[in-house]
Amino acid sequence: MQQSYSKRMPPRRPGPGGAKGWWRGRFKGCGYRFTVPRQVILDTLNRTSKHLSAEDIYLAVHRTCPNIGLTTVYRTLELLVQMGLVFKFDFGDGRARYELSRETHPRGHCYLVCINCRRVINADDFREKETERIKQIEETIAKRYNFRVRNQITQFYGLCGKCSQERTEDE
Amino acid sequence: MQQSYSKRMPPRRPGPGGAKGWWRGRFKGCGYRFTVPRQVILDTLNRTSKHLSAEDIYLAVHRTCPNIGLTTVYRTLELLVQMGLVFKFDFGDGRARYELSRETHPRGHCYLVCINCRRVINADDFREKETERIKQIEETIAKRYNFRVRNQITQFYGLCGKCSQERTEDE
DNA sequence: TTGATAATGAAAACCATTTTCACTAAGCAT
DNA sequence: ATGCTTAGTGAAAATGGTTTTCATTATCAA
């Protein structure tokens, strides 16, 4: 059923039918069916720039299609990650987060995670200026470790403004 | 029982009694007891540079002190993370990894995670050359997001040499 | 339209981690 | 040293995100 991760990709162009058409092509190209649940889950991810948990997605999807189960959400997400359409992250709060891989921003994410209140701040905008640098680093890594970088994530753990303030009051 | 994360730290010097003495001081300073399980767990982490899971630590500890339970390992690790003595990581394989925070290397870690075979390669050596850069980035983040960076982790997800090879053979 | 089978959903299983609670031992006061 | 207070511990149970099972459904090539 599940195919190997390594499949040829169709060209990265929206093609006729917009994103949906492109997704369909990707699925067909990998020998998968482009089913309703898969469409709806992709749509949900496409509609936000936030990092959603499986349950977030399930709840959002559930509003339009109450018949789609949590199991399917998990299975679809796993498949999407395998296909490289979605990135999976872990901020250490015990639940994975998912984000659609968009061509518009470089593959590389930057997050600030507050170790006190668990808030996650998306700092991708900052990261964009580093694109060149990252590319260099990826090349170095590819050479030194014989490793093909597909995605990259940088997490800064520390205290957010609010929690940092509380700390100061403590002392 | 558990104190707030933000406590004053004693000077970062080994002092009399080596690492053990310093740890004891840290514990006392925070109002915690420096118990046998806590010593043994710290010793275990100190003896390796690998990123161990809670179970890894439990098994290692269990050889010398079979009476130390897994629960205590979890509780101690949580405390050590809170105290800033240990870093907790997540590579997306469903179990957390722990590493002793050493003064010798900059607070900042770099890992390559193979999305196919799940192998984790430690690339800290590479990261060391970036220290200056990272410091700059931390400063920028502190200013822009009003965020106090405490630790930083960069993960490159992709295909390791072996899996990358398999992929090529596929095509 | 139809048939083969990939995909789905509900329920059960899984498993890392956390909580509960009765018991133990660290370390301060005596 | 000795006893006392209470932080710390361990075993077992609970939790909760994720995965597996299996009977049913829906996709799509022919």
Side-chain angles (χ1 to χ4, degrees):
Chain A
M1 180 216 103
Q2 194 124 304
Q3 295 199 11
S4 119
Y5 167 73
S6 47
K7 276 293 159 193
R8 234 172 272 107
M9 289 202 201
R12 245 182 140 70
R13 297 259 137 264
K20 194 157 292 186
W22 184 66
W23 292 332
R24 163 166 268 125
R26 282 286 270 120
F27 272 85
K28 304 301 273 302
C30 293
Y32 301 131
R33 294 177 183 174
F34 193 56
T35 63
V36 171
R38 288 172 182 181
Q39 277 182 56
V40 178
I41 290 167
L42 270 168
D43 270 335
T44 302
L45 284 163
N46 196 31
R47 212 174 299 118
T48 184
S49 64
K50 292 202 184 85
H51 33 262
L52 303 175
S53 69
E55 201 186 349
D56 291 338
I57 295 166
Y58 169 70
L59 291 174
V61 155
H62 202 261
R63 280 202 294 276
T64 8
C65 306
N67 52 320
I68 294 176
L70 184 55
T71 312
T72 298
V73 173
Y74 274 110
R75 267 190 297 230
T76 302
L77 287 170
E78 193 195 334
L79 184 65
L80 292 172
V81 170
Q82 288 274 341
M83 293 172 69
L85 289 175
V86 163
F87 292 129
K88 181 179 182 180
F89 300 115
D90 211 307
F91 299 121
D93 66 342
R95 59 184 57 192
R97 307 295 172 136
Y98 301 86
E99 228 177 284
L100 193 64
S101 153
R102 299 168 197 285
E103 306 94 274
T104 50
H105 66 47
R107 57 164 185 222
H109 303 264
C110 184
Y111 298 101
L112 315 182
V113 184
C114 181
I115 54 180
N116 194 54
C117 70
R118 286 265 152 236
R119 196 156 65 99
V120 177
I121 301 162
N122 200 314
D124 277 0
D125 61 321
F126 157 78
R127 149 57 45 82
E128 267 153 38
K129 289 181 185 157
E130 292 277 320
T131 307
E132 254 328 298
R133 187 78 186 174
I134 302 290
K135 217 179 283 175
Q136 282 174 33
I137 294 175
E138 286 187 6
E139 271 168 37
T140 310
I141 283 175
K143 271 184 212 139
R144 180 174 321 181
Y145 296 97
N146 189 26
F147 191 94
R148 282 197 206 174
V149 177
R150 264 209 140 226
N151 182 28
Q152 187 263 331
I153 178 174
T154 299
Q155 296 169 332
F156 291 90
Y157 287 87
L159 293 168
C160 70
K162 231 173 91 188
C163 296
S164 174
Q165 208 174 312
E166 282 168 22
R167 180 193 172 168
T168 312
E169 285 162 9
D170 262 22
E171 290 168 22
Chain B
M1 181 217 104
Q2 194 124 304
Q3 297 199 11
S4 117
Y5 167 73
S6 47
K7 276 293 161 195
R8 235 173 272 105
M9 287 202 201
R12 244 182 140 72
R13 295 260 137 262
K20 193 156 293 186
W22 184 66
W23 292 333
R24 163 165 268 126
R26 282 286 271 120
F27 273 85
K28 303 301 273 301
C30 294
Y32 300 131
R33 294 176 182 173
F34 192 56
T35 63
V36 172
R38 288 172 182 181
Q39 277 182 57
V40 177
I41 289 167
L42 270 168
D43 270 336
T44 303
L45 284 164
N46 196 29
R47 213 174 300 119
T48 183
S49 63
K50 291 203 184 85
H51 32 264
L52 303 175
S53 69
E55 201 186 348
D56 291 338
I57 295 165
Y58 169 70
L59 291 174
V61 156
H62 201 263
R63 279 201 295 277
T64 8
C65 306
N67 51 320
I68 294 176
L70 184 55
T71 310
T72 297
V73 172
Y74 274 110
R75 267 191 297 231
T76 302
L77 287 170
E78 192 196 334
L79 184 65
L80 293 172
V81 170
Q82 289 275 341
M83 293 172 70
L85 289 175
V86 162
F87 291 128
K88 181 179 182 179
F89 300 114
D90 211 307
F91 299 121
D93 67 341
R95 60 185 55 194
R97 307 294 172 139
Y98 301 86
E99 229 179 282
L100 193 65
S101 155
R102 298 168 197 284
E103 306 96 275
T104 51
H105 66 46
R107 57 166 185 218
H109 302 263
C110 184
Y111 298 101
L112 314 183
V113 184
C114 181
I115 54 182
N116 194 54
C117 70
R118 285 267 152 232
R119 195 156 66 99
V120 176
I121 301 162
N122 200 314
D124 277 359
D125 61 322
F126 157 77
R127 149 57 47 82
E128 267 155 38
K129 288 181 186 158
E130 292 277 320
T131 307
E132 252 331 295
R133 187 87 188 165
I134 301 292
K135 218 179 281 176
Q136 280 174 35
I137 294 175
E138 285 188 6
E139 270 169 35
T140 311
I141 283 175
K143 271 184 213 142
R144 179 174 319 182
Y145 296 98
N146 190 25
F147 191 95
R148 282 199 206 173
V149 177
R150 262 210 141 224
N151 181 29
Q152 186 263 331
I153 178 173
T154 299
Q155 296 169 331
F156 291 91
Y157 287 87
L159 294 167
C160 70
K162 229 173 95 185
C163 295
S164 174
Q165 208 174 312
E166 281 168 21
R167 179 192 174 170
T168 313
E169 285 162 9
D170 263 20
E171 291 168 22

